[in-house]
Amino acid sequence: MDASLYASRRRRNHLAATASYAATFVGLTVLALILGVLFWHGFGGLSLRVFTEMTPPPGAAGGLLNAIVGSLIMTTLALLIGAPIGVLAGTYMAEYGRHSRLTSLVRFINDILLSAPSIVVGLFIYYVMVRPMGHFSGIAGAVVLAVLVVPVMVRTTEDMLRLVPDTLREAAASIGLPRSLMIRRVAYRAARAGIVTGLLLAVARISGETAPLLFTALNNQFYSTNLNAPMASLPSVIFQFALSPYKDWQNLAWTGALIITLAVLAMSIMARALTGTRKAS
Amino acid sequence: MLPAFTLAQWSQNVATRRKFDGRMNAPGGKAVVDATWQGPDLAAQDVATRARVLNKLRLGDIFFHQLTKSAAILVLAVLGGVILSLFLGALPAFSEYGLGFLVTESWNPVTEKFGALAPIYGTIVTSLIAMLIAVPLGLMIAMFLTELCPMWLRRPIGIAIELLAGIPSIIYGIWGLFVFAPFLQQHVQPQVIALFENVPVLSTLFAGPPFGIGILTASLILAIMVLPFITSVSRDVFDAVPPVLKEAAYGLGWTQWEVWRYVVLPFTRIGVIGGVMLGLGRALGETMAVTFVIGNAHRISASLLAPGTTISATIANEFTEAVGDLYTSSLIALGLILFIITFIVLAIARYLLLRIERRIG
């Protein structure tokens, strides 16, 4: 027997295993580093003031209230617009047109929209909303985010409705329930956890979104709930403050970053816990 | 007796229910319905009410069906809208510069001479370097998660890696700018420059003062950002390899590495490529993180340590400050180019992933 061949095979196996351990270690270390740095820089600034005061001029104390409120308003509106569209489209794909050509086309296009650069969506809304209106506005920001919500909702709704056993549908039909009622009363109820997961994933996706907001909602130094005027959002304030030369602005940016990250991570962990299955966003 | 229109509706109702699912054309179902429907002592008023209710349900059904269908079509319309508006927005720039726009390096807002070459170069180079780093790393992590990792640790580690995908891109941006770039500038880049000083090709690639920010830094951050996509797709396809195949190879005395390399990887090749393309699509369009660390310089440098720019970073940095239609239009034209590139990459990714899904079933 060729002992050296065995030895070299064993060596190669060890090498591969070590590389694989090392790669995982690198991945986990980076995650820990990012979270650690966020806490290190952001935790000190975390106080009640952050949630109760406006973004300050350089050199003064202040908080992030207008940015947080702006983010909440635009995210809520985006969900109100985008989620129903996404759920309905997903319903069509899983219930009515399960084998239709339209469904496979929509699925393909939707998957592309799911990973398409959000900045391009921002340009689209700029062209169809901001330019005709003549000014930046909170509503344009909400519509951009809604366009980003739709593909997430379509995907999860379709997947989750498909997991509902057909026997449930048949049972509902056999007692004479019309199809639309069957979908709303039986299928939606059975897939509820999954659809809520989709909502969480969608919120997680849009709450950190910055690029498309830069030229739709712009930003606002002041407190404003006027949807027809530029509106502040947490990510765009972070962008502006982090790139500024002022130390206190940078500190606020770190605090804002910590808030967003914690919120987003909490939502994605909750989404996972809800379904109990792992699902890449 | 039932009035004629009710009967017609009733039969339609049965027909829709039959159409509902291929498995449901049970003759028994009809008999049950018959018994309730043709009762002899059905009062006329009941019949009318029933007809009204059934009619309402039928209309509701049609309405809901059409509503969901139009929502599905709306998804297509969004894509159409994106393409159309980008195209119309880019038209002034393309009619001014023609296809020369794609190969011109100059980007001068003062003289209104715009060309897309530097951003296109930056986008492609940063994405390729990112993939060069992230693909082996991602595959190794996926191999760890599916072959080596103890069962109880698989889920937590898998989730931790996927959390990297959940962190918003702007967080990577400020982390890159305030932590990662200074670290590279002080502790890595000077050594790298010194190391390759006398090596022919590498001395050009790693030349110049250590800025910290630049093409290479952006690539490294992109690599971290696409890592979870590659890992999670590869892990899913690795998991789908029939155990019999692996067991057969182990039965022949193969090592873990050999099984992975010569059984798992060939079997899942298409899926892995799909995952890689998916990550590439993300890397190409990534905006905020890159904007923070690339340096936003409209030129093409041979050195990877020099500042550069990407399509998305240019748009993010300059769009709100762009004055003049030609400037705005040139930026939208950049967006169109980016969209076309990512569309092609993502379409290939989806096609490949669809193929492996069908094979695994």
Side-chain angles (χ1 to χ4, degrees):
Chain A
M1 276 306 196
D2 191 353
S4 74
L5 181 64
Y6 283 131
S8 94
R9 284 177 62 196
R10 199 177 301 127
R11 225 176 12 252
R12 194 170 292 178
N13 193 39
H14 275 303
L15 209 66
T18 316
S20 153
Y21 277 105
T24 312
F25 180 75
V26 168
L28 294 178
T29 311
V30 168
L31 178 71
L33 265 179
I34 293 176
L35 293 181
V37 165
L38 265 181
F39 269 99
W40 177 259
H41 285 284
F43 199 73
L46 212 55
S47 66
L48 202 60
R49 172 181 269 172
V50 172
F51 302 97
T52 54
E53 286 181 21
M54 306 297 137
T55 47
L64 295 164
L65 177 66
N66 47 343
I68 293 172
V69 169
S71 272
L72 285 179
I73 291 176
M74 285 193 283
T75 307
T76 315
L77 261 181
L79 278 188
L80 287 178
I81 302 168
I85 297 174
V87 169
L88 286 173
T91 307
Y92 176 80
M93 293 157 73
E95 299 284 343
Y96 287 108
R98 202 176 276 201
H99 304 291
S100 76
R101 199 170 290 171
L102 177 65
T103 297
S104 29
L105 181 64
V106 172
R107 190 180 304 132
F108 188 72
I109 296 299
N110 189 65
D111 279 349
I112 286 177
L113 284 177
L114 198 62
S115 348
S118 58
I119 194 160
V120 169
V121 178
L123 287 177
F124 161 55
I125 298 300
Y126 171 84
Y127 197 79
V128 298
M129 279 187 80
V130 178
R131 215 153 99 142
M133 286 164 75
H135 56 86
F136 301 104
S137 63
I139 186 75
V143 173
V144 164
L145 297 182
V147 173
L148 297 172
V149 166
V150 169
V152 182
M153 291 311 294
V154 171
R155 181 70 183 272
T156 36
T157 308
E158 198 209 346
D159 285 354
M160 293 304 156
L161 282 178
R162 271 168 187 271
L163 289 181
V164 175
D166 277 340
T167 44
L168 275 183
R169 297 195 175 89
E170 286 158 8
S174 74
I175 58 166
L177 208 59
R179 199 162 175 188
S180 61
L181 280 182
M182 179 277 287
I183 293 170
R184 278 176 286 174
R185 301 264 170 85
V186 179
Y188 278 171
R189 214 168 277 193
R192 190 164 50 193
I195 295 175
V196 172
T197 308
L199 277 174
L200 286 170
L201 288 177
V203 176
R205 162 101 201 260
I206 60 173
S207 48
E209 204 55 76
T210 321
L213 289 179
L214 291 177
F215 34 86
T216 49
L218 199 63
N219 202 346
N220 198 331
Q221 283 294 98
F222 306 103
Y223 184 85
S224 163
T225 51
N226 182 2
L227 282 175
N228 206 17
M231 191 177 265
S233 65
L234 215 36
S236 39
V237 168
I238 295 175
F239 180 53
Q240 186 198 348
F241 281 17
L243 287 178
S244 77
Y246 313 111
K247 194 74 199 143
D248 40 354
W249 272 18
Q250 291 179 1
N251 287 339
L252 264 182
W254 278 111
T255 307
L258 179 65
I259 295 173
I260 288 194
T261 310
L262 288 184
V264 168
L265 291 189
M267 273 180 286
S268 29
I269 290 173
M270 246 154 67
R272 261 165 241 282
L274 256 179
T275 43
T277 53
R278 39 157 224 256
K279 209 106 213 94
S281 46
Chain B
M1 269 302 288
L2 285 166
F5 69 90
T6 326
L7 263 179
Q9 263 161 17
W10 169 76
S11 60
Q12 195 168 9
N13 196 23
V14 169
T16 25
R17 265 188 263 158
R18 279 211 199 130
K19 253 198 312 192
F20 174 59
D21 196 315
R23 273 169 289 178
M24 274 198 52
N25 46 5
K30 190 174 178 182
V32 172
V33 177
D34 275 344
T36 34
W37 275 79
Q38 293 180 336
D41 51 5
L42 212 59
Q45 207 179 358
D46 282 352
V47 171
T49 318
R50 190 181 285 266
R52 217 171 38 243
V53 169
L54 279 181
N55 199 29
K56 219 172 103 189
L57 290 178
R58 194 171 61 90
L59 285 179
D61 246 9
I62 295 174
F63 174 73
F64 194 66
H65 185 161
Q66 295 308 321
L67 188 70
T68 57
K69 194 168 181 176
S70 25
I73 292 171
L74 192 66
V75 175
L76 299 184
V78 167
L79 184 82
V82 170
I83 295 174
L84 192 67
S85 63
L86 287 180
F87 186 76
L88 289 178
L91 214 51
F94 276 114
S95 57
E96 174 76 23
Y97 307 117
L99 284 176
F101 184 72
L102 296 176
V103 290
T104 309
E105 195 187 332
S106 138
W107 184 269
N108 192 335
V110 182
T111 59
E112 296 212 311
K113 281 239 168 301
F114 297 110
L117 194 61
I120 293 177
Y121 168 84
T123 302
I124 292 174
V125 168
T126 49
S127 301
L128 287 185
I129 299 176
M131 299 317 286
L132 231 54
I133 300 163
V135 170
L137 212 57
L139 287 181
M140 282 332 243
I141 297 178
M143 174 182 156
F144 176 77
L145 285 175
T146 50
E147 309 284 337
L148 301 170
C149 184
M151 275 298 172
W152 59 275
L153 260 176
R154 284 186 188 188
R155 222 170 116 73
I157 294 184
I159 288 177
I161 297 291
E162 278 173 18
L163 281 188
L164 276 175
I167 297 176
S169 109
I170 190 161
I171 309 298
Y172 284 99
I174 62 174
W175 181 75
L177 181 66
F178 289 116
V179 182
F180 195 52
F183 172 78
L184 287 180
Q185 184 179 21
Q186 283 157 21
H187 303 292
V188 180
Q189 290 183 352
Q191 280 82 336
V192 172
I193 294 168
L195 186 67
F196 295 128
E197 211 168 15
N198 301 316
V199 188
V201 181
L202 293 177
S203 66
T204 336
L205 276 181
F206 298 98
F211 288 111
I213 53 175
I215 299 263
L216 186 67
T217 313
S219 311
L220 290 173
I221 300 235
L222 279 180
I224 301 169
M225 296 183 71
V226 297
L227 183 66
F229 294 99
I230 296 171
T231 305
S232 83
V233 172
S234 336
R235 183 198 51 195
D236 289 350
V237 292
F238 289 168
D239 265 341
V241 175
V244 186
L245 284 183
K246 288 196 272 182
E247 284 157 12
Y250 282 126
L252 291 173
W254 287 19
T255 64
Q256 257 171 335
W257 162 253
E258 285 160 350
V259 171
W260 186 78
R261 174 67 189 81
Y262 299 106
V263 176
V264 176
L265 207 54
F267 189 82
T268 55
R269 193 180 52 228
I270 299 171
V272 169
I273 297 173
V276 169
M277 297 297 267
L278 202 64
L280 181 60
R282 291 272 172 168
L284 288 166
E286 183 43 56
T287 310
M288 292 325 286
V290 175
T291 307
F292 272 92
V293 296
I294 190 116
N296 205 34
H298 277 277
R299 58 166 179 267
I300 298 173
S301 317
S303 169
L304 295 178
L305 303 180
T309 191
T310 68
I311 294 178
S312 47
T314 305
I315 301 173
N317 260 320
E318 302 180 19
F319 200 82
T320 37
E321 280 138 35
V323 275
D325 284 344
L326 212 53
Y327 196 175
T328 312
S329 173
S330 300
L331 287 169
I332 296 182
L334 280 184
L336 180 66
I337 296 168
L338 175 66
F339 190 67
I340 293 172
I341 299 175
T342 46
F343 190 95
I344 295 170
V345 169
L346 292 172
I348 296 173
R350 286 299 164 193
Y351 173 72
L352 293 175
L353 288 175
L354 217 64
R355 253 178 64 183
I356 192 149
E357 243 168 59
R358 269 193 213 129
R359 195 169 73 183
I360 290 171

